[in-house]
Amino acid sequence: MSGAPTRRGLVLGTGALALAAALPRSVHAAATGPSHGLSSFGELKYGPDFPNFDYVNPMAPRGGRFSTQITQTFGNQAFDTFDTLNPFVFRGNGAAGLNFTFDSLMVRALDEPDALYGLIARTVETSPDGLSQRFRLRPQARFQDGSKLTARDVAFSLKILRDKGHPAISQEILDLEDATPEADDVVLVRYKAGYARDLPQTVASLPIFSEAWWKGRDFEASTLEEPLGSGPYRVGRMDVGRFIELERVPDYWAADLPVNVGRNNFESLRYEYFRDRQAAFEAFKSGAFTYREEFTSSIWANGYDFPAAREGRVKRVTLPNNAPAAIQGWWFNTRREVFRDPRVREAIGLCFDFAWTNRNQMFDTYVRTESFFERSDLKATGKPGPDELALLEPLRDAHPGDVPAEVFGEAWVMPSSDGSGQDRALLGRANALLKEAGCTRDGSVFRLPGGAPIAFEFLDNDPIWEARTQPFIRNLARLGIQARQRIVDASQYQLRVRDFDFDIVVRNASQGATPGPELRTSFGSAAAAIPGTNNIAGIKNPAADALIEKAVTAASRAQLEAACRALDRVLRAGRYWIPMWYAPSYRLATWDVFGHPATPPAYGLGTPDLWWYDPDKARRIGRD
């Protein structure tokens, strides 16, 4: 099992199906005129007259329905319920699929690590100093009620997201200084000096709202009134907290643009919500929904022996996954006194036996996560190279407590266990670490230096975690640490995690191929005090802050790699989490009614965006 699908990211307009990539200052300075796209490092793959992205099927038929569960969240979304149609603000639990109802200025290319191409914007021109960009809009851009989408709408959207958007959005665009309409089809976007390299592409990926529609409405309030969008789908039927359907807009203004050819192929999208994972699987088996990304290894290995699967009506598909791995783990809330010392955190982590868990519970199908940039060229390996040392050496003296000696040695990884379930050597090492931290053994209880017992709670919202957590808790008890697990409902879980009211939680965070401002909201000190941000661990590390700034302002891929590898070493040394595991491939189960590209693009799976309904297949299995 890879765990509950707990991935979060800045997934906003239909052009932003993954974290926005980056635009370096060197590209700003080199800009000589209007461009059809933005690229961080190097040339754009696609020229101004490209017909479609290479990874799509330009002849994909349109029609049919795609039904699934939500597997990736953004903004205020939850996995188990929804109560608002505005996922872009702090309040409420946003419904799935709303990103398909809004267009953005530009579209992410999923076969390039850091490139976007024009959707609402036909061109973008960057000023020589890099502090402003002029987006020229397509004259045919329209909202779903037929009203024209203008530069006023763009300016309104960017500023209201900066000022009132969900912290995961607003904190990433704080350096957006202003957006000004110069004409109906021209908007000037200005940035503050020293802004993060990625900011222009993040801005270009934001959803565009109708200023007229929002006039007189409270943008920050929860609402079940469908906001007016300009995207390929609009909200259809829904049962709050149970399902939501999105219907294709028949006269979608951008359907034939090159960035949309071969995309948005389904007549409708439906997202089902379940409070219980087993109930969701039973619903899939009965045909209540047709697409399932499998995150539970025991089900993948043993659960597909039911009539529809035996008869071939349900297919299992394994597709290669070469994108950077999501970083899943148990995250410590270092705001809690019990977790203030990294030696205590490391000792706790040594009590988890991954090898035993992988073999006995997960069929040896997972790989142990080592890095905050797992499965990417940003991962630190071996000893620091010269470029990393050039960044780390000054921090050794400036922040000695945050840059320990181990940062300059081999990149730290959790030690391998013997797979017995209670590795005596690792438990002995954990015992020694606690004593080094000034903790003392009092009978069967280990106590912190101040006398309080080492005690904490694992907070979960899914019983599936019990099998993984309870053996961990038993090992902790052997060491004299008092741990328990609490399972709460989805709404309470969402509120408690958002407000940092927990000890330890599981989180699976996505990392883009070219990370930028999201590093600040995930690992930066300023974000640690802002509810709703992704810095759930409460990391406050000045050395990490300095390296984050090096990463988000890197002017070349080589500089980015050096900064992220150095940051990886510092974060690993902080012991802010207990890394879990990742799957080396996508595991998909579908009712056999779909077609899809043979190989997913390098930087995303592309569902439902690139798939299509196959009526011949559907007819053969009686689902036409």
Side-chain angles (χ1 to χ4, degrees), residues 396-551:
R396 189 205 298 258
D397 297 329
H399 307 288
D402 297 314
V403 189
E406 77 169 50
V407 168
F408 297 89
E410 296 287 327
W412 185 83
V413 298
M414 290 291 293
S416 298
S417 69
D418 62 10
S420 66
Q422 44 182 302
D423 188 314
R424 291 181 177 273
L426 293 186
L427 292 175
R429 172 59 180 155
N431 186 77
L433 281 167
L434 292 174
K435 290 181 177 179
E436 288 176 23
C439 301
T440 56
R441 187 73 180 248
D442 179 10
S444 62
V445 177
F446 243 117
R447 297 185 181 276
L448 295 167
I454 303 177
F456 53 84
E457 175 182 273
F458 292 88
L459 181 69
D460 292 306
N461 69 338
D462 192 329
I464 197 73
W465 285 110
E466 288 185 282
R468 314 301 183 256
T469 306
Q470 288 303 317
F472 189 2
I473 288 175
R474 289 193 289 272
N475 267 353
L476 290 165
R478 292 184 179 98
L479 197 61
I481 292 175
Q482 301 171 354
R484 63 178 182 174
Q485 183 180 26
R486 182 188 295 267
I487 299 173
V488 299
D489 63 47
S491 296
Q492 184 180 356
Y493 182 84
Q494 181 86 341
L495 288 172
R496 288 187 60 177
V497 173
R498 186 183 69 182
D499 295 337
F500 308 134
D501 181 19
F502 64 87
D503 295 334
I504 294 179
V505 293
V506 175
R507 176 59 65 90
N508 184 332
S510 296
Q511 292 281 26
T514 308
E518 68 272 17
L519 294 174
R520 292 172 175 164
T521 57
S522 296
F523 309 121
S525 297
I530 302 173
T533 64
N534 290 325
N535 189 351
I536 60 172
I539 298 170
K540 290 186 175 182
N541 185 318
D545 292 339
L547 292 168
I548 288 169
E549 294 311 303
K550 292 291 186 181

Side-chain angles (χ1 to χ4, degrees), residues 56 164-165 168 189 248 311 388 426-427 453 470 560:
V56 306
K164 297 184 177 182
V189 179
R248 186 210 303 283
E311 296 161 5
E388 294 174 68
L426 293 186
L427 292 175
Q470 288 303 317
L560 178 68

